[in-house]
Amino acid sequence: MDSKTTHFGYQEVPLEEKAGRVAEVFDSVAARYDLMNDLMSLGIHRLWKRVALERSGVRRGHQVLDIAGGTGDLTEQFVRRVGPKGRVVLADINASMLKVGRDRLIDKGAGAHVEVVQANAEALPFPDNTFDCITIAFGLRNVTDKARALASMTRVLKPGGRLLVLEFSKPTHPVFERIYDQYSFHVLPRLGSLIANDADSYRYLAESIRMHPDQDTLKSMMETAGLERVEYTNMTGGVVALHRGLKL
């Protein structure tokens, strides 16, 4: 792969094409994204997000940015935590996902308390030192330039603020990894075909997980972006890892 190309799943594509291809995937799956998440993870994604929420340190009056927030499940919980004097911004590069998230938050009674912003994680449209906490859950692997995105997130964090990255990662046991591979490349596309009428998008999602940096590599990338005290916690045998870093 040269400097002008990047990965789209297992394919090598020109840099300028990746964002559009990722957008097509999420345009396709947006309407059934929550249902598919439940089916794909057997509902465990809710537990993973609950752990992220508890480790966010978010409290009343905080300003929170939920990047790649999609359907707004984390955003809704942050609204409850920050209270009327806090601020929560739901950001996503994909308009289809944002519409689903905004509608869902309105239905839940939280829509009036959330700012919805279409934004690219690589160039966040916020001033320096704005947010007490930034989260990106299952979104970093779809970003074209992950290092640039991490630097952008660090820039808009306040000193003392924290970034949490919840993402699929590398299973820690070889046997479990083989089982996980079978599930990802055979079961997920079939589920995608049956539920969302789109096997290709879910095949891409499985491939994008394999191309994402492993736990230690992502830790190093966060440190390079300027974050301190970076640590990660493996969940479900390393299928998912929660990385957390502070801006000092």
Side-chain angles (χ1 to χ4, degrees), residues 36-106:
M36 284 300 298
N37 275 350
D38 280 331
L39 291 172
M40 287 190 301
S41 71
L42 306 177
I44 301 173
H45 76 98
R46 298 176 186 275
L47 175 60
W48 297 331
K49 289 175 180 175
R50 191 176 308 143
V51 172
L53 184 70
E54 292 303 321
R55 296 196 180 176
S56 68
V58 169
R59 57 185 184 272
R60 298 186 77 79
H62 272 183
Q63 297 199 53
V64 180
L65 172 62
D66 185 17
I67 301 175
T71 54
D73 45 0
L74 270 178
T75 299
E76 179 191 352
Q77 297 302 316
F78 284 130
V79 167
R80 301 179 192 280
R81 295 208 169 202
V82 303
K85 294 185 178 180
R87 176 193 183 197
V88 181
V89 179
L90 170 63
D92 202 296
I93 196 172
N94 185 271
S96 298
M97 293 293 288
L98 275 178
K99 182 181 185 305
V100 172
R102 183 178 61 246
D103 291 349
R104 181 178 181 274
L105 289 165
I106 291 171

Side-chain angles (χ1 to χ4, degrees), residues 208-239:
S208 71
I209 291 167
R210 298 312 183 278
M211 300 306 296
H212 186 67
D214 64 18
Q215 289 92 324
D216 288 322
T217 302
L218 180 54
K219 179 177 183 289
S220 295
M221 291 173 69
M222 291 175 67
E223 291 169 342
T224 299
L227 295 165
E228 306 282 347
R229 301 179 191 172
V230 180
E231 59 185 11
Y232 64 83
T233 302
N234 286 320
M235 295 184 278
T236 316
V239 167

Side-chain angles (χ1 to χ4, degrees), residues 1-149:
M1 186 176 70
D2 63 39
S3 60
K4 296 182 180 179
T5 62
T6 189
H7 294 294
F8 176 76
Y10 288 164
Q11 299 178 52
E12 185 177 326
V13 300
L15 278 172
E16 64 272 13
E17 286 187 13
K18 180 168 179 176
R21 293 198 180 200
V22 171
E24 289 174 2
V25 169
F26 285 93
D27 285 342
S28 174
V29 304
R32 299 193 177 220
Y33 186 75
D34 283 339
L35 173 61
M36 284 300 298
N37 275 350
D38 280 331
L39 291 172
M40 287 190 301
S41 71
L42 306 177
I44 301 173
H45 76 98
R46 298 176 186 275
L47 175 60
W48 297 331
K49 289 175 180 175
R50 191 176 308 143
V51 172
L53 184 70
E54 292 303 321
R55 296 196 180 176
S56 68
V58 169
R59 57 185 184 272
R60 298 186 77 79
H62 272 183
Q63 297 199 53
V64 180
L65 172 62
D66 185 17
I67 301 175
T71 54
D73 45 0
L74 270 178
T75 299
E76 179 191 352
Q77 297 302 316
F78 284 130
V79 167
R80 301 179 192 280
R81 295 208 169 202
V82 303
K85 294 185 178 180
R87 176 193 183 197
V88 181
V89 179
L90 170 63
D92 202 296
I93 196 172
N94 185 271
S96 298
M97 293 293 288
L98 275 178
K99 182 181 185 305
V100 172
R102 183 178 61 246
D103 291 349
R104 181 178 181 274
L105 289 165
I106 291 171
D107 290 343
K108 294 278 189 176
H113 307 288
V114 175
E115 297 174 40
V116 177
V117 177
Q118 187 171 1
N120 186 335
E122 297 176 26
L124 292 167
F126 306 106
D128 295 359
N129 309 318
T130 297
F131 296 98
D132 297 283
C133 180
I134 298 174
T135 57
I136 179 166
F138 306 113
L140 186 61
R141 73 182 188 281
N142 297 309
V143 173
T144 301
D145 190 332
K146 297 173 180 60
R148 187 178 176 198

